[in-house]
């Protein structure tokens, strides 16, 4: 059967000059200036944007801007809605887009470092340092191969793992520096981390704050206090964001119906699920699926 959504995605990828690799698990954009609609595609991936020259500005929520200068990396987790990137006239920047599935496979246990940093900041800017230039050149040469042989794919994954682990090291360093001025106690941080782990382990994440508080043997008020103190966000915000990550993943990665997804995630019915999804993503579940459904080769 002809897959119209997949064909539409292929055409859009060609228009955006995006190079495929690893069955759409990894995508590469050589020059983000050629990819005017990159944010709509990158919403389905974890994006690593490397600013080699000039500066890039990303707008979030219409009133929050993040600037990235030469030599820095912009990290955007899957599912984050950002307005079109603004680049200076002299800007040179590439983008590496990695699916959640590939990210988890490559990072293994270190995925917790990435997730925690992304949860805390929503998007992250880090310095690339000297190691990035060498890896960038090799990655660029691999993606230029028209038909990537198996060995090159293995090397690509190896270099991707190296790059991601180095980024995680940088994220840890940033976290250690941030803790210097943090007034949260070690006990508070431990409880907050337990909350994130508990949230991640739940198949049906859309629960009341009291549900998670009871599992941690604390009051909802205390959990809210700790969450706000440690992360700047209340527990309900975490619950909503984590629930939406599952929504995005199931809509992109599976052929489950809207009703099946609704049931799996614990919504009372598909109508309520669709309303909930639209309030968060500004599109219906079906519109999101048609726009972001993984291309099947």
């Amino acid at each position: 059967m002809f897959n119209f959504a997949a064909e539409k995605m292929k055409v859009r990828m060609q228009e955006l000059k995006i190079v495929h690799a690893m069955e759409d698990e990894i995508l590469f954009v050589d020059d983000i200036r050629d990819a005017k609609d990159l944010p709509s595609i990158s919403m389905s991936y974890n994006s690593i944007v490397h600013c080699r020259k000039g500066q890039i500005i990303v707008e979030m929520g219409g009133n929050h801007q993040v600037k990235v200068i030469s030599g820095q990396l912009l990290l955007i987790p899957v599912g984050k809605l950002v307005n079109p990137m603004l680049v200076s006239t002299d800007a040179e920047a590439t983008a590496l887009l990695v699916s959640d599935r590939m990210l988890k496979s490559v990072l293994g246990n270190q995925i917790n470092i990435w997730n925690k940093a992304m949860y805390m900041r929503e998007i992250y800017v880090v310095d690339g340092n000297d190691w990035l230039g060498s890896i960038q050149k090799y990655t660029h040469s691999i993606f230029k191969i028209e038909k990537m042989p198996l060995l090159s794919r293995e090397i690509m994954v190896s270099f991707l793992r190296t790059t991601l682990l180095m980024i995680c090291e940088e994220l840890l360093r940033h976290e250690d520096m941030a803790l210097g001025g943090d007034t949260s106690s070690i006990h508070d941080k431990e409880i907050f981390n337990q909350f994130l782990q508990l949230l991640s382990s739940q198949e049906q994440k859309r629960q009341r704050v009291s549900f998670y508080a009871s599992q941690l043997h604390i009051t909802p008020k205390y959990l809210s206090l700790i969450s706000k103190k440690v992360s700047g966000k209340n527990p309900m915000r975490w619950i909503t964001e984590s629930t939406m990550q599952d929504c995005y993943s199931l809509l992109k990665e599976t052929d489950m119906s809207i009703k099946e997804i609704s049931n799996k995630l614990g919504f009372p019915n598909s109508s309520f699920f669709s309303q909930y999804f639209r309030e968060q993503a500004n599109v219906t579940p079906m519109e999101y699926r048609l726009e972001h459904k993984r291309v099947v080769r």
Side-chain angles (χ1 to χ4, degrees), residues 21-22 26 138-139 141-160:
M22 306 295 293
I26 308 172
Y138 195 86
T139 303
S141 65
I142 291 177
F143 273 94
K144 286 300 182 182
I145 300 175
E146 185 173 350
K147 291 186 177 180
M148 188 176 295
L150 179 60
L151 182 58
S152 291
R153 289 173 179 240
E154 293 297 322
I155 294 173
M156 179 70 246
V157 172
S158 177
F159 268 78
L160 176 62

Side-chain angles (χ1 to χ4, degrees), residues 107-159:
L107 282 180
N109 292 335
Q110 304 301 322
I111 189 67
N112 291 331
I113 299 173
W114 174 278
N115 285 341
K116 185 177 180 182
M118 294 303 103
Y119 282 146
M120 296 290 281
R121 298 287 187 90
E122 295 187 310
I123 63 175
Y124 219 109
V125 177
V126 297
D127 293 323
N129 296 324
D130 296 335
W131 52 265
L132 184 64
S134 300
I135 291 178
Q136 180 78 22
K137 290 179 182 178
Y138 195 86
T139 303
H140 183 273
S141 65
I142 291 177
F143 273 94
K144 286 300 182 182
I145 300 175
E146 185 173 350
K147 291 186 177 180
M148 188 176 295
L150 179 60
L151 182 58
S152 291
R153 289 173 179 240
E154 293 297 322
I155 294 173
M156 179 70 246
V157 172
S158 177
F159 268 78

Side-chain angles (χ1 to χ4, degrees), residues 24-271:
D24 296 312
E25 297 291 350
I26 308 172
L27 307 178
F28 182 73
V29 181
D30 190 37
D31 187 345
I32 65 171
R33 290 175 301 183
D34 292 333
K36 303 301 183 183
D37 293 330
L38 180 60
S40 64
I41 296 295
S42 63
M43 186 178 172
S44 299
Y45 293 86
N46 296 278
S47 303
I48 304 171
V49 180
H50 177 210
C51 182
R52 300 195 304 251
K53 183 180 178 182
Q55 68 177 28
I56 305 167
I57 297 177
V58 175
E59 293 184 345
M60 296 182 61
N63 56 10
H64 178 52
Q65 292 189 345
V66 177
K67 182 169 71 173
V68 187
I69 62 175
S70 177
Q72 290 184 324
L73 293 176
L74 173 65
L75 311 178
I76 308 174
V78 66
K80 288 299 177 185
L81 292 168
V82 297
N83 290 330
M85 294 180 179
L86 306 175
V87 299
S88 61
T89 55
D90 63 336
E92 294 181 5
T94 59
L96 187 62
L97 312 181
V98 185
S99 72
D100 251 2
R101 182 164 48 195
M102 177 60 69
L103 191 75
K104 293 173 183 176
S105 173
V106 168
L107 282 180
N109 292 335
Q110 304 301 322
I111 189 67
N112 291 331
I113 299 173
W114 174 278
N115 285 341
K116 185 177 180 182
M118 294 303 103
Y119 282 146
M120 296 290 281
R121 298 287 187 90
E122 295 187 310
I123 63 175
Y124 219 109
V125 177
V126 297
D127 293 323
N129 296 324
D130 296 335
W131 52 265
L132 184 64
S134 300
I135 291 178
Q136 180 78 22
K137 290 179 182 178
Y138 195 86
T139 303
H140 183 273
S141 65
I142 291 177
F143 273 94
K144 286 300 182 182
I145 300 175
E146 185 173 350
K147 291 186 177 180
M148 188 176 295
L150 179 60
L151 182 58
S152 291
R153 289 173 179 240
E154 293 297 322
I155 294 173
M156 179 70 246
V157 172
S158 177
F159 268 78
L160 176 62
R161 175 174 170 77
T162 300
T163 302
L164 290 174
L165 287 176
M166 287 182 170
I167 290 174
C168 285
E169 285 285 344
E170 194 70 16
L171 293 175
L172 281 176
R173 189 178 70 83
H174 277 237
E175 182 180 358
D176 289 341
M177 291 174 62
L179 290 179
D182 192 352
T183 59
S184 304
S185 69
I186 295 177
H187 179 65
D188 289 346
K189 293 185 178 70
E190 287 178 350
I191 293 178
F192 178 70
N193 286 333
Q194 289 172 14
F195 165 60
L196 290 185
Q197 291 170 8
L198 179 61
L199 180 60
S200 177
S201 68
Q202 297 295 311
E203 182 173 74
Q204 298 183 353
K205 296 179 172 61
R206 199 185 64 86
Q207 307 282 351
R208 294 179 182 274
V209 174
S210 58
F211 167 82
Y212 292 99
S214 66
Q215 299 295 309
L216 298 171
H217 307 292
I218 58 176
T219 66
K221 184 176 181 179
Y222 187 46
L223 177 56
S224 297
L225 180 66
I226 288 175
S227 179
K228 189 71 175 178
K229 187 177 182 181
V230 175
S231 71
K233 294 191 286 189
N234 62 46
M236 204 64 234
R237 174 78 182 278
W238 288 108
I239 293 168
T240 299
E241 290 185 357
S242 189
T243 299
M244 288 302 294
Q245 293 299 322
D246 287 349
C247 294
Y248 294 138
S249 178
L250 291 172
L251 287 168
K252 288 184 304 181
E253 306 287 353
T254 76
D255 292 321
M256 295 172 64
S257 68
I258 301 301
K259 182 178 180 180
E260 289 172 332
I261 293 175
S262 172
N263 291 337
K264 181 179 180 65
L265 297 182
F267 287 85
N269 53 62
S270 56
S271 295

